[in-house]
Amino acid sequence: MYDIVIVGSGPAGLTAAIYALRADKSVLVLEKETFGGQITLSPHVENCPGFPHISGSELGEKLLDQAMGLGAEIDMGEVSAIRRRGETCIIETREGNEYAARAVILATGSRHRPLGVAREEEFIGHGISYCAVCDGAFYAGREIAVIGGGNSALQEAVMLADICQKVTVIQNLGVLTGEKRLADKLYAKDNVSFIYNSVVTALEGERELSSIVIENTETGEKTRLPFDGVFVCIGQIPENEPFREHVALNDYGYFEAGEDCTTKDPAIFVAGDCRSKRIRQITTATADGAVAAIAACRYLDK
């Protein structure tokens, strides 16, 4: 029996673990993919207080080391359900394991949003990627496209522009929505171009992606463009469906919880990008982790 089981090991989950451990609670952190969460895929993090420049993987490692140093237990597993046994929460995983806890913090984060066009899954690893850190080196000296215009897309484009022959940023809006500082970096590069008000409607190629078809959202005109690779950076999708019974979801699948990180179940709390909120940044995720942990500790101490 643990005092708190935390589902997810991103900045929110690991911050929650740190705060709970400092309050002398026993903590288990469950992670289904990568310890450190999605931030580990970011090559350059420059908006984390105390770190003018750090890679996402290094930041995730520091958070994990700090939590483990305080005594957090860590295990791999994809949580499939939570059920109640009186005052106890039973956490079930798809691997067949069960864990008992007095309280649960859901810091499940989100996953990359796909384009949603035919053959996308077929081309993953064969021209389609969602991570420049993971796959950028495969496209050194080649021509690629980055789909999206937010911070993640611009960060990927900045990194890829340093190694690729040409980078084309394709945005569905008329402007880039990421930070001006990142946009200015791209505007200053001779090998970066921009296409606005356009969406990808088709992916073409035999075994490897060779071209895409884009459609102008204003005119309806379609254009075929050859690329060696396409990096998709169009947002995130929460994976909260297994917990719908305990926490209400909004129309987009995010946990419907306020800044206090509490839910309709007094023993279950939420934190980070999985929660309905306007701003999703490292700082807001870690803030949620602290708030959720303190709320969980108060619940346990009643």
Side-chain angles (χ1 to χ4, degrees):
M1 170 78 78
Y2 295 92
D3 288 325
I4 302 174
V5 167
I6 298 171
V7 182
S9 69
L14 291 176
T15 299
I18 290 166
Y19 270 73
L21 290 160
R22 286 174 57 83
D24 202 28
K25 307 303 181 190
S26 59
V27 174
L28 169 68
V29 179
L30 291 173
E31 171 58 51
K32 69 174 183 177
E33 291 180 348
T34 304
F35 290 107
Q38 293 279 349
I39 193 63
T40 60
L41 301 179
S42 180
H44 305 294
V45 177
E46 299 176 336
N47 58 357
C48 182
F51 298 98
H53 176 82
I54 189 172
S55 70
S57 59
E58 185 180 0
L59 180 60
E61 185 177 345
K62 287 181 179 293
L63 286 166
L64 181 62
D65 287 346
Q66 185 175 357
M68 293 181 66
L70 289 169
E73 292 189 36
I74 306 292
D75 203 355
M76 295 293 294
E78 180 178 357
V79 176
S80 56
I82 298 174
R83 54 186 171 84
R84 296 299 294 269
R85 183 186 294 160
E87 295 298 311
T88 301
C89 296
I90 305 299
I91 298 92
E92 303 175 357
T93 71
R94 296 194 187 281
E95 294 77 15
N97 297 318
E98 291 188 355
Y99 305 89
R102 298 169 60 206
V104 176
I105 296 175
L106 298 173
T108 50
S110 55
R111 62 180 173 84
H112 294 292
R113 184 182 299 278
L115 289 168
V117 299
R119 303 186 69 189
E120 182 172 5
E121 188 171 344
E122 174 188 343
F123 284 124
I124 293 175
H126 301 279
I128 291 287
S129 174
Y130 304 90
C131 174
V133 177
C134 311
D135 302 326
F138 296 119
Y139 298 92
R142 305 173 77 179
E143 296 189 10
I144 61 96
V146 173
I147 313 300
N151 276 346
S152 296
L154 301 190
Q155 287 174 342
E156 300 267 285
V158 168
M159 175 184 174
L160 291 165
D162 289 337
I163 60 174
C164 295
Q165 179 181 345
K166 183 178 179 181
V167 174
T168 302
V169 177
I170 301 174
Q171 164 71 316
N172 66 330
L173 302 175
V175 297
L176 301 177
T177 55
E179 294 178 7
K180 181 178 183 298
R181 179 184 56 81
L182 291 171
D184 287 344
K185 283 186 177 181
L186 291 173
Y187 293 145
K189 293 181 179 294
D190 294 333
N191 64 333
V192 178
S193 60
F194 302 86
I195 299 175
Y196 298 100
N197 297 312
S198 297
V199 295
V200 178
T201 59
L203 305 171
E204 300 178 333
E206 294 184 5
R207 293 188 176 182
E208 299 287 332
L209 179 75
S210 59
S211 62
I212 66 174
V213 176
I214 63 171
E215 179 178 338
N216 186 289
T217 56
E218 295 184 332
T219 66
E221 180 183 359
K222 292 188 176 182
T223 306
R224 177 175 287 101
L225 300 172
F227 289 112
D228 298 309
V230 172
F231 289 79
V232 181
C233 310
I234 56 174
Q236 303 287 317
I237 298 176
E239 298 181 287
N240 297 332
E241 191 63 32
F243 314 107
R244 176 184 288 276
E245 178 183 345
H246 302 279
V247 187
L249 305 183
N250 68 13
D251 292 341
Y252 301 98
Y254 290 96
F255 290 131
E256 198 67 276
E259 296 294 329
D260 61 1
C261 296
T262 60
T263 73
K264 63 182 181 180
D265 188 321
I268 297 180
F269 307 83
V270 300
D273 287 358
C274 59
R275 182 175 74 81
S276 176
K277 55 165 69 178
R278 184 173 182 180
I279 305 297
R280 291 184 173 85
Q281 295 289 310
I282 297 170
T283 48
T284 62
T286 56
D288 273 9
V291 170
I294 291 171
C297 291
R298 286 175 177 166
Y299 165 77
L300 295 175
D301 290 341
K302 284 183 180 179

